[in-house]
Amino acid sequence: MENNFTFEGKVILVTGGATGIGAGLVRSILSENARHVTFLDLAERESEILERELKNKFGTLRVMYIKCDVSDEKQMNEAYNKVVDKFHRLDIVINNAAILCAEENLYKRMVDINFTAVISSTLKALATMAVDRGGSGGVILNVSSRLALTPSDSLAVYSATKAAVLQFTNSIAINKSYSKSEVRVLSVCLGPTDTAILHKHNSELFDKGCTQCFTSQVPERQRVESAVKGIIDVIKKADNGSTWIIAGNKPPVDITVSVREGVQNRCNDTSGS
């Protein structure tokens, strides 16, 4: 357990950082005296406004916006290289970028952004930060959803991408020995949160043409601030390979054992087939 972990002096990269939880993370991490935060997003107007605000508050060297389509591996690699070339290190990566569309529209785009980009970013982060590859260690946190844990008939593709993120993250954490890499790989499953992803009129911030986002059937949305605080707390204290739920404006709950036992039970149930 990393009880003494601090953001102070760290170099951090956040995907999907222009609005909502991503923007909240960028602000909070800078407030925790991080050396620098780079955030990636396609929403230029919102990103530039945020970058200007934070440069005025924290200083021009503390924050940088890079326009990046995270589903484009070349753009992702260029963004990583720009950060490492400038600061000669990378300590924390938070893969937060996601879109939510009606399944019949842009489902391939949803898979590319919500899942494939997480793979690309995670592997690039490991190659950059792992001690056994010349890095200094660090933390990778991948943002999943409570929908990864419960099937949804109305959001099948979105739920599937988030379940894939959860499974991929847990597998990477097992296969990549923390004792060698010194990179903790973590996942959080967020409950419904009051962000633009749940508001139809803001869907263009995420993807052109994504106009039928999920806007109803959400009983209780937690505040963005609650989700951000929960993610910050998890990064500070969580063990490698652990999974946490952050929902209902409550502190993070460790569900690692339940997730692992659930997977193991499914394997046992099918072992004779």
Side-chain angles (χ1 to χ4, degrees), residues 63-131:
V63 62
M64 176 171 63
Y65 161 58
I66 299 177
K67 182 180 180 181
C68 178
D69 180 349
V70 295
S71 67
D72 185 320
E73 192 166 2
K74 181 181 178 181
Q75 290 186 36
M76 179 84 79
N77 287 337
E78 288 174 350
Y80 267 86
N81 293 339
K82 188 171 184 179
V83 174
V84 175
D85 288 347
K86 187 175 182 67
F87 296 99
H88 307 291
R89 67 181 298 129
L90 182 61
D91 301 292
I92 302 169
V93 171
I94 303 175
N95 290 311
N96 167 72
I99 61 170
L100 175 56
C101 307
E103 274 70 15
E104 65 270 19
N105 291 332
L106 303 171
Y107 71 91
K108 291 182 180 179
R109 180 72 172 153
M110 191 157 36
V111 171
D112 287 344
I113 291 176
N114 295 8
F115 180 47
T116 306
V118 173
I119 296 175
S120 299
S121 182
T122 299
L123 295 179
K124 182 67 174 178
L126 279 170
T128 302
M129 297 192 294
V131 169

Side-chain angles (χ1 to χ4, degrees), residues 44-56:
E44 287 187 83
R45 178 178 175 274
E46 292 77 11
S47 296
E48 289 169 356
I49 290 172
L50 178 64
E51 182 185 43
R52 185 162 54 250
E53 169 202 327
L54 296 178
K55 282 185 173 181
N56 289 336

